[in-house]
Amino acid sequence: MSTKAYLVLENGKIFEGSYFGAQGDITGEIVFTTGMTGYLETLTDPSYHGQIVLQTFPLIGNYGVIPADFESSSIGPIAYITKCPCQDPSNFRSEGSLGTFLDQRGIIGICDIDTRALTKMIRENGVMNGKIMKEKPDERDMAEIKSYFVEKPIAKVSISEKKLAKAQSSKFTVALMDFGAKENIRRELIQRGCDVWSFPYSSTPEEILSVSPDGIMLSNGPGDPKDNMDIVETIRALLKENVPMFGICMGHQLLALASGFKTGKLKFGHRGANQPVKDLIEGRCYITSQNHGYQVLSDSMDESIAEEWFVNVNDGSNEGIIYKNAPAFSVQFHPEGCGGPQDTGYLFDKFIKLMEERRGC
């Protein structure tokens, strides 16, 4: 028999459901993702640190748990919400059920709630905090929910010391600034012949340049980009070295801040594998994978420094920038996205081309 659970929002709304996975009380920022598949990549994405993830697609877990598909060795979200978790997965690669996996990792899950109503509430009111709990809330619980905030989450998900991942046939050396990097960023670089040195978020420009990188990759990561001005200063110093630079998601936002642009919070963010973006240069649209709650403000961009490249088709927000004063570009979406789509994977080839041009290949 399942155990009753309550989801309490900071606006006082209460949803009643059942636990699956671990049981207990947990407070976090509730965000929704619209992906129909890719739940394993979502659960292991460090960019979700400090958040309770809501899946809008009702049936989650039908292909089980497949460790080879993980984006990191840890779990990103602090809790997980779905309408109907599959208890009997069917896939030849599966190594167990989603509920058992969450229980083993100590991650609280809640199901059997009206996820459609919850999603509509977040869309109408914006992202809000919430608490999953065994009992109905009192005044102390409501105060805790309203005051919840994750400070400096990048420090909690970045690696602690630099490490090297070598390609079979090495052509380039890339320095990856790890703000909570998804594993597939490394995979995409390695399969293109790049030895990848991953660096902690707090690394100095001198430490990064000590490996003589042909290119610098700025990874995805959690939180508000403006909380990381020390990293912004590092990126600003690296830009002066004229080393090709490629930013993804958080890396996109930090690169923009280093260039003097501004960022702001979206009402409910872009999360899922069906986000449409338009290439303003080519006039072509792509469907992309995204996970972010902040944006680069287009009207803050200096046209003498950079050119807006991609925009979100739904709301017109910035999705990509090409820089004029340095061999650098960045995108808000995930060209390495697994489980898809991978239509923008060519951006890694663009990064390779910049490194080739610098070398004179």
Side-chain angles (χ1 to χ4, degrees):
M1 183 177 178
S2 58
T3 304
K4 183 179 291 186
Y6 297 96
L7 173 65
V8 186
L9 305 183
E10 64 178 272
N11 65 359
K13 178 68 175 179
I14 300 175
F15 291 83
E16 185 176 316
S18 306
Y19 281 108
F20 81 103
Q23 299 185 17
D25 294 0
I26 192 76
T27 303
E29 181 185 53
I30 302 176
V31 299
F32 67 82
T33 177
T34 57
M36 296 173 66
T37 60
Y39 57 86
L40 295 175
E41 290 84 353
T42 293
L43 281 167
T44 54
D45 183 350
S47 294
Y48 282 111
H49 180 81
Q51 295 176 324
I52 299 173
V53 172
L54 160 67
Q55 294 275 178
T56 61
F57 189 70
L59 178 62
I60 296 295
N62 59 326
Y63 53 87
V65 175
I66 306 168
D69 291 348
F70 292 178
E71 289 288 2
S72 70
S73 59
S74 60
I75 304 299
I78 56 174
Y80 197 56
I81 304 171
T82 184
K83 175 69 174 178
C84 183
C86 178
Q87 303 298 335
D88 299 300
S90 177
N91 187 287
F92 73 98
R93 300 172 67 216
S94 176
E95 297 184 15
S97 71
L98 180 58
T100 300
F101 172 71
L102 292 177
D103 188 29
Q104 291 172 343
R105 294 297 188 100
I107 302 299
I108 294 171
I110 184 173
C111 60
D112 300 331
I113 69 169
D114 190 340
T115 53
R116 183 185 292 269
L118 177 56
T119 301
K120 288 179 67 176
M121 188 171 294
I122 293 173
R123 279 187 60 90
E124 291 168 3
N125 299 285
V127 168
M128 65 182 79
N129 294 338
K131 184 174 184 177
I132 297 173
M133 42 194 313
K134 293 183 177 180
E135 306 290 340
K136 290 188 175 181
D138 56 25
E139 291 183 3
R140 288 174 299 178
D141 294 311
M142 295 308 302
E144 175 190 335
I145 294 169
K146 292 177 180 179
S147 64
Y148 177 82
F149 175 74
V150 180
E151 186 176 2
K152 299 271 186 183
I154 286 178
K156 298 177 175 67
V157 299
S158 179
I159 56 175
S160 57
E161 57 185 26
K162 74 175 184 179
K163 62 180 182 180
L164 174 64
K166 290 187 67 68
Q168 281 191 339
S169 178
S170 301
K171 300 176 183 176
F172 301 100
T173 298
V174 172
L176 170 62
M177 293 190 70
D178 187 332
F179 310 134
K182 294 168 67 177
E183 189 58 39
N184 214 47
I185 293 177
R186 273 182 281 264
R187 294 188 192 113
E188 292 287 344
L189 292 168
I190 290 169
Q191 73 181 17
R192 287 170 170 81
C194 299
D195 292 339
V196 181
W197 277 103
S198 297
F199 285 87
Y201 78 100
S202 57
S203 299
T204 65
E206 293 75 21
E207 289 170 335
I208 293 166
L209 294 171
S210 69
V211 299
S212 300
D214 297 296
I216 298 171
M217 173 68 71
L218 310 176
S219 86
N220 61 290
D224 185 342
K226 292 196 294 291
D227 290 341
N228 303 282
M229 297 312 293
D230 50 344
I231 302 175
V232 169
E233 289 302 320
T234 297
I235 296 172
R236 186 173 290 142
L238 290 171
L239 278 170
K240 296 176 182 178
E241 300 296 323
N242 258 7
V243 178
M245 189 176 291
F246 180 12
I248 293 175
C249 200
M250 174 61 75
H252 166 72
Q253 297 164 6
L254 293 175
L255 181 54
L257 289 173
S259 301
F261 310 154
K262 296 179 181 179
T263 60
K265 191 166 186 176
L266 291 161
K267 184 176 181 180
F268 48 79
H270 302 149
R271 298 176 179 89
N274 52 3
Q275 296 285 333
V277 302
K278 183 176 181 178
D279 182 333
L280 297 178
I281 297 174
E282 300 293 335
R284 181 174 179 180
C285 291
Y286 296 91
I287 301 301
T288 66
S289 177
Q290 299 193 21
N291 172 20
H292 63 104
Y294 293 83
Q295 64 173 321
V296 176
L297 301 178
S298 298
D299 59 6
S300 74
M301 290 174 52
D302 184 339
E303 293 182 358
S304 69
I305 295 175
E307 177 181 6
E308 188 165 47
W309 186 10
F310 291 96
V311 295
N312 189 287
V313 175
N314 289 331
D315 61 15
S317 61
N318 178 264
E319 293 279 1
I321 298 172
I322 294 178
Y323 289 84
K324 300 177 181 179
N325 62 341
F329 66 94
S330 62
V331 292
Q332 185 62 77
F333 50 88
H334 288 273
E336 85 294 344
C338 279
Q342 296 178 307
D343 300 14
T344 55
Y346 72 90
L347 294 174
F348 286 95
D349 299 321
K350 180 179 176 66
F351 185 44
I352 297 294
K353 187 174 181 181
L354 283 179
M355 292 189 284
E356 289 175 342
E357 290 173 352
R358 181 172 184 263
R359 270 199 189 177
C361 296

